[in-house]
Tab-separated table of all heavy atoms in Angstrom:
chain	number	residue	atom	x	y	z
A	1782	LEU	N	130.649	-70.704	-103.102
A	1782	LEU	CA	130.285	-69.453	-103.778
A	1782	LEU	C	128.851	-69.029	-103.470
A	1782	LEU	O	128.586	-67.830	-103.302
A	1782	LEU	CB	130.478	-69.616	-105.289
A	1782	LEU	CG	130.129	-68.389	-106.150
A	1782	LEU	CD1	130.893	-67.167	-105.692
A	1782	LEU	CD2	130.431	-68.690	-107.623
A	1783	LEU	N	127.922	-69.954	-103.377
A	1783	LEU	CA	126.529	-69.583	-103.157
A	1783	LEU	C	126.326	-68.829	-101.844
A	1783	LEU	O	125.688	-67.770	-101.813
A	1783	LEU	CB	125.619	-70.798	-103.251
A	1783	LEU	CG	125.617	-71.535	-104.588
A	1783	LEU	CD1	124.638	-72.684	-104.577
A	1783	LEU	CD2	125.272	-70.578	-105.734
A	1784	PRO	N	126.873	-69.331	-100.723
A	1784	PRO	CA	126.734	-68.538	-99.471
A	1784	PRO	C	127.381	-67.157	-99.574
A	1784	PRO	O	126.892	-66.195	-98.966
A	1784	PRO	CB	127.449	-69.412	-98.434
A	1784	PRO	CG	127.390	-70.793	-98.987
A	1784	PRO	CD	127.522	-70.618	-100.469
A	1785	ARG	N	128.433	-67.064	-100.334
A	1785	ARG	CA	129.122	-65.770	-100.537
A	1785	ARG	C	128.178	-64.800	-101.265
A	1785	ARG	O	128.107	-63.623	-100.896
A	1785	ARG	CB	130.377	-66.045	-101.344
A	1785	ARG	CG	131.399	-64.950	-101.397
A	1785	ARG	CD	132.687	-65.557	-101.891
A	1785	ARG	NE	133.724	-64.607	-102.171
A	1785	ARG	CZ	135.026	-64.900	-102.178
A	1785	ARG	NH1	135.413	-66.135	-101.932
A	1785	ARG	NH2	135.918	-63.971	-102.443
A	1786	LEU	N	127.478	-65.281	-102.294
A	1786	LEU	CA	126.552	-64.427	-103.024
A	1786	LEU	C	125.337	-64.058	-102.165
A	1786	LEU	O	124.782	-62.961	-102.315
A	1786	LEU	CB	126.088	-65.129	-104.297
A	1786	LEU	CG	127.041	-65.086	-105.476
A	1786	LEU	CD1	126.577	-66.027	-106.576
A	1786	LEU	CD2	127.172	-63.680	-106.016
A	1787	ARG	N	124.947	-64.950	-101.272
A	1787	ARG	CA	123.772	-64.700	-100.452
A	1787	ARG	C	123.974	-63.549	-99.480
A	1787	ARG	O	122.993	-62.954	-98.975
A	1787	ARG	CB	123.385	-65.965	-99.673
A	1787	ARG	CG	122.799	-67.076	-100.548
A	1787	ARG	CD	121.592	-66.607	-101.271
A	1787	ARG	NE	120.987	-67.645	-102.120
A	1787	ARG	CZ	120.271	-67.404	-103.190
A	1787	ARG	NH1	120.067	-66.132	-103.570
A	1787	ARG	NH2	119.760	-68.392	-103.887
A	1788	LEU	N	125.211	-63.160	-99.202
A	1788	LEU	CA	125.458	-62.036	-98.325
A	1788	LEU	C	124.892	-60.750	-98.912
A	1788	LEU	O	124.429	-59.856	-98.196
A	1788	LEU	CB	126.955	-61.869	-98.064
A	1788	LEU	CG	127.626	-63.035	-97.327
A	1788	LEU	CD1	129.148	-62.808	-97.262
A	1788	LEU	CD2	127.051	-63.202	-95.930
A	1789	THR	N	124.942	-60.641	-100.257
A	1789	THR	CA	124.445	-59.455	-100.945
A	1789	THR	C	123.070	-59.679	-101.556
A	1789	THR	O	122.266	-58.765	-101.660
A	1789	THR	CB	125.432	-59.023	-102.053
A	1789	THR	OG1	126.750	-59.048	-101.545
A	1789	THR	CG2	125.094	-57.633	-102.572
A	1790	HIS	N	122.813	-60.898	-101.972
A	1790	HIS	CA	121.572	-61.223	-102.685
A	1790	HIS	C	120.834	-62.384	-101.994
A	1790	HIS	O	120.733	-63.483	-102.547
A	1790	HIS	CB	121.869	-61.586	-104.125
A	1790	HIS	CG	122.424	-60.465	-104.943
A	1790	HIS	ND1	121.632	-59.629	-105.703
A	1790	HIS	CD2	123.702	-60.018	-105.089
A	1790	HIS	CE1	122.386	-58.707	-106.284
A	1790	HIS	NE2	123.635	-58.921	-105.926
A	1791	PRO	N	120.326	-62.146	-100.806
A	1791	PRO	CA	119.684	-63.255	-100.094
A	1791	PRO	C	118.420	-63.766	-100.774
A	1791	PRO	O	118.027	-64.913	-100.567
A	1791	PRO	CB	119.363	-62.639	-98.724
A	1791	PRO	CG	119.327	-61.160	-98.955
A	1791	PRO	CD	120.335	-60.901	-100.021
A	1792	GLN	N	117.758	-62.938	-101.586
A	1792	GLN	CA	116.478	-63.319	-102.192
A	1792	GLN	C	116.551	-63.572	-103.705
A	1792	GLN	O	115.586	-64.015	-104.291
A	1792	GLN	CB	115.434	-62.220	-101.950
A	1792	GLN	CG	115.245	-61.846	-100.490
A	1792	GLN	CD	114.808	-63.023	-99.636
A	1792	GLN	OE1	114.049	-63.885	-100.093
A	1792	GLN	NE2	115.297	-63.077	-98.397
A	1793	ARG	N	117.688	-63.305	-104.319
A	1793	ARG	CA	117.750	-63.437	-105.784
A	1793	ARG	C	117.903	-64.909	-106.172
A	1793	ARG	O	118.662	-65.652	-105.554
A	1793	ARG	CB	118.907	-62.622	-106.356
A	1793	ARG	CG	118.785	-62.457	-107.893
A	1793	ARG	CD	119.839	-61.511	-108.445
A	1793	ARG	NE	119.788	-60.187	-107.852
A	1793	ARG	CZ	118.904	-59.243	-108.165
A	1793	ARG	NH1	117.977	-59.493	-109.081
A	1793	ARG	NH2	118.949	-58.055	-107.566
A	1794	THR	N	117.194	-65.312	-107.230
A	1794	THR	CA	117.290	-66.694	-107.703
A	1794	THR	C	118.592	-66.890	-108.468
A	1794	THR	O	118.960	-66.087	-109.340
A	1794	THR	CB	116.094	-67.029	-108.603
A	1794	THR	OG1	114.888	-66.875	-107.849
A	1794	THR	CG2	116.183	-68.487	-109.074
A	1795	LEU	N	119.276	-67.962	-108.145
A	1795	LEU	CA	120.537	-68.318	-108.801
A	1795	LEU	C	120.347	-69.605	-109.576
A	1795	LEU	O	119.685	-70.540	-109.130
A	1795	LEU	CB	121.637	-68.516	-107.748
A	1795	LEU	CG	121.838	-67.377	-106.745
A	1795	LEU	CD1	122.898	-67.728	-105.721
A	1795	LEU	CD2	122.223	-66.087	-107.485
A	1796	PHE	N	120.920	-69.640	-110.779
A	1796	PHE	CA	120.854	-70.797	-111.660
A	1796	PHE	C	122.213	-71.496	-111.626
A	1796	PHE	O	123.262	-70.858	-111.792
A	1796	PHE	CB	120.528	-70.389	-113.094
A	1796	PHE	CG	119.090	-69.993	-113.323
A	1796	PHE	CD1	118.495	-68.964	-112.574
A	1796	PHE	CD2	118.327	-70.628	-114.287
A	1796	PHE	CE1	117.188	-68.593	-112.798
A	1796	PHE	CE2	117.014	-70.260	-114.531
A	1796	PHE	CZ	116.427	-69.243	-113.778
A	1797	VAL	N	122.194	-72.811	-111.462
A	1797	VAL	CA	123.432	-73.592	-111.385
A	1797	VAL	C	123.276	-74.848	-112.265
A	1797	VAL	O	122.156	-75.352	-112.433
A	1797	VAL	CB	123.757	-74.021	-109.941
A	1797	VAL	CG1	124.068	-72.801	-109.095
A	1797	VAL	CG2	122.614	-74.817	-109.328
A	1798	GLY	N	124.392	-75.323	-112.814
A	1798	GLY	CA	124.323	-76.468	-113.714
A	1798	GLY	C	125.367	-77.520	-113.423
A	1798	GLY	O	126.392	-77.227	-112.803
A	1799	PRO	N	125.133	-78.752	-113.873
A	1799	PRO	CA	126.122	-79.819	-113.724
A	1799	PRO	C	127.215	-79.730	-114.772
A	1799	PRO	O	127.176	-78.856	-115.629
A	1799	PRO	CB	125.275	-81.087	-113.904
A	1799	PRO	CG	124.181	-80.666	-114.844
A	1799	PRO	CD	123.898	-79.220	-114.516
A	1800	GLY	N	128.170	-80.659	-114.697
A	1800	GLY	CA	129.281	-80.682	-115.648
A	1800	GLY	C	128.917	-81.355	-116.959
A	1800	GLY	O	127.751	-81.562	-117.272
A	1801	GLN	N	129.995	-81.668	-117.722
A	1801	GLN	CA	129.845	-82.240	-119.053
A	1801	GLN	C	128.901	-81.407	-119.912
A	1801	GLN	O	127.936	-81.895	-120.475
A	1801	GLN	CB	129.378	-83.715	-118.984
A	1801	GLN	CG	130.468	-84.638	-118.450
A	1801	GLN	CD	130.088	-86.095	-118.525
A	1801	GLN	OE1	129.100	-86.473	-119.192
A	1801	GLN	NE2	130.839	-86.940	-117.834
A	1802	TRP	N	129.186	-80.078	-119.930
A	1802	TRP	CA	128.425	-79.137	-120.750
A	1802	TRP	C	126.975	-79.004	-120.272
A	1802	TRP	O	126.062	-78.875	-121.069
A	1802	TRP	CB	128.490	-79.510	-122.225
A	1802	TRP	CG	129.874	-79.731	-122.745
A	1802	TRP	CD1	130.573	-80.909	-122.743
A	1802	TRP	CD2	130.734	-78.772	-123.358
A	1802	TRP	NE1	131.815	-80.729	-123.300
A	1802	TRP	CE2	131.946	-79.428	-123.697
A	1802	TRP	CE3	130.602	-77.398	-123.637
A	1802	TRP	CZ2	133.001	-78.769	-124.304
A	1802	TRP	CZ3	131.664	-76.752	-124.256
A	1802	TRP	CH2	132.846	-77.438	-124.570
A	1803	SER	N	126.776	-79.081	-118.977
A	1803	SER	CA	125.425	-78.971	-118.386
A	1803	SER	C	124.491	-80.058	-118.916
A	1803	SER	O	123.345	-79.800	-119.252
A	1803	SER	CB	124.815	-77.582	-118.628
A	1803	SER	OG	125.564	-76.584	-117.990
A	1804	SER	N	125.011	-81.267	-118.973
A	1804	SER	CA	124.223	-82.378	-119.535
A	1804	SER	C	123.228	-82.922	-118.526
A	1804	SER	O	123.504	-82.992	-117.316
A	1804	SER	CB	125.151	-83.494	-120.021
A	1804	SER	OG	125.716	-84.185	-118.936
A	1805	ILE	N	122.079	-83.317	-119.023
A	1805	ILE	CA	121.041	-83.892	-118.185
A	1805	ILE	C	121.539	-85.173	-117.538
A	1805	ILE	O	121.193	-85.481	-116.383
A	1805	ILE	CB	119.776	-84.157	-119.036
A	1805	ILE	CG1	119.155	-82.808	-119.441
A	1805	ILE	CG2	118.777	-85.005	-118.285
A	1805	ILE	CD1	118.015	-82.915	-120.422
A	1806	GLU	N	122.397	-85.926	-118.226
A	1806	GLU	CA	122.912	-87.184	-117.699
A	1806	GLU	C	123.752	-86.983	-116.439
A	1806	GLU	O	123.982	-87.932	-115.678
A	1806	GLU	CB	123.740	-87.908	-118.762
A	1806	GLU	CG	122.921	-88.491	-119.908
A	1806	GLU	CD	122.379	-87.425	-120.870
A	1806	GLU	OE1	122.933	-86.300	-120.880
A	1806	GLU	OE2	121.408	-87.723	-121.574
A	1807	GLN	N	124.218	-85.751	-116.184
A	1807	GLN	CA	125.027	-85.475	-115.001
A	1807	GLN	C	124.200	-85.062	-113.781
A	1807	GLN	O	124.751	-84.862	-112.692
A	1807	GLN	CB	126.040	-84.381	-115.303
A	1807	GLN	CG	127.257	-84.860	-116.072
A	1807	GLN	CD	128.138	-85.739	-115.195
A	1807	GLN	OE1	128.651	-85.317	-114.181
A	1807	GLN	NE2	128.311	-86.993	-115.618
A	1808	LEU	N	122.905	-84.967	-113.917
A	1808	LEU	CA	122.072	-84.569	-112.786
A	1808	LEU	C	122.255	-85.479	-111.551
A	1808	LEU	O	122.267	-84.993	-110.420
A	1808	LEU	CB	120.595	-84.524	-113.195
A	1808	LEU	CG	120.195	-83.352	-114.093
A	1808	LEU	CD1	118.763	-83.509	-114.550
A	1808	LEU	CD2	120.386	-82.010	-113.359
A	1809	PRO	N	122.389	-86.808	-111.733
A	1809	PRO	CA	122.549	-87.645	-110.520
A	1809	PRO	C	123.783	-87.315	-109.685
A	1809	PRO	O	123.809	-87.621	-108.491
A	1809	PRO	CB	122.653	-89.066	-111.109
A	1809	PRO	CG	121.941	-88.996	-112.405
A	1809	PRO	CD	122.253	-87.634	-112.941
A	1810	ALA	N	124.788	-86.701	-110.305
A	1810	ALA	CA	126.010	-86.381	-109.559
A	1810	ALA	C	125.954	-85.019	-108.887
A	1810	ALA	O	126.853	-84.673	-108.118
A	1810	ALA	CB	127.227	-86.444	-110.511
A	1811	LEU	N	124.931	-84.228	-109.149
A	1811	LEU	CA	124.851	-82.874	-108.623
A	1811	LEU	C	124.485	-82.893	-107.138
A	1811	LEU	O	123.603	-83.656	-106.712
A	1811	LEU	CB	123.815	-82.082	-109.403
A	1811	LEU	CG	123.767	-80.560	-109.212
A	1811	LEU	CD1	125.068	-79.930	-109.652
A	1811	LEU	CD2	122.584	-79.977	-109.987
A	1812	ARG	N	125.168	-82.077	-106.345
A	1812	ARG	CA	124.874	-81.944	-104.933
A	1812	ARG	C	124.774	-80.456	-104.590
A	1812	ARG	O	125.754	-79.704	-104.721
A	1812	ARG	CB	125.988	-82.583	-104.060
A	1812	ARG	CG	126.142	-84.064	-104.266
A	1812	ARG	CD	124.946	-84.841	-103.712
A	1812	ARG	NE	125.114	-86.273	-103.875
A	1812	ARG	CZ	124.772	-86.944	-104.982
A	1812	ARG	NH1	124.252	-86.301	-106.012
A	1812	ARG	NH2	124.939	-88.260	-105.046
A	1813	LEU	N	123.605	-80.039	-104.166
A	1813	LEU	CA	123.361	-78.625	-103.885
A	1813	LEU	C	123.113	-78.403	-102.404
A	1813	LEU	O	122.609	-79.302	-101.722
A	1813	LEU	CB	122.168	-78.121	-104.701
A	1813	LEU	CG	122.320	-78.226	-106.220
A	1813	LEU	CD1	121.040	-77.777	-106.900
A	1813	LEU	CD2	123.502	-77.403	-106.699
A	1814	PRO	N	123.470	-77.239	-101.888
A	1814	PRO	CA	123.256	-76.983	-100.463
A	1814	PRO	C	121.782	-77.100	-100.076
A	1814	PRO	O	120.928	-76.440	-100.673
A	1814	PRO	CB	123.763	-75.563	-100.285
A	1814	PRO	CG	124.695	-75.311	-101.443
A	1814	PRO	CD	124.128	-76.121	-102.581
Side-chain angles (χ1 to χ4, degrees):
L1782 180 56
L1783 299 182
R1785 194 164 172 157
L1786 281 170
R1787 289 302 180 206
L1788 296 174
T1789 314
H1790 295 267
Q1792 306 300 325
R1793 194 173 302 282
T1794 300
L1795 308 177
F1796 285 57
V1797 294
Q1801 290 186 14
W1802 307 89
S1803 296
S1804 72
I1805 292 173
E1806 289 73 20
Q1807 281 290 299
L1808 287 173
L1811 192 62
R1812 298 291 181 274
L1813 299 177

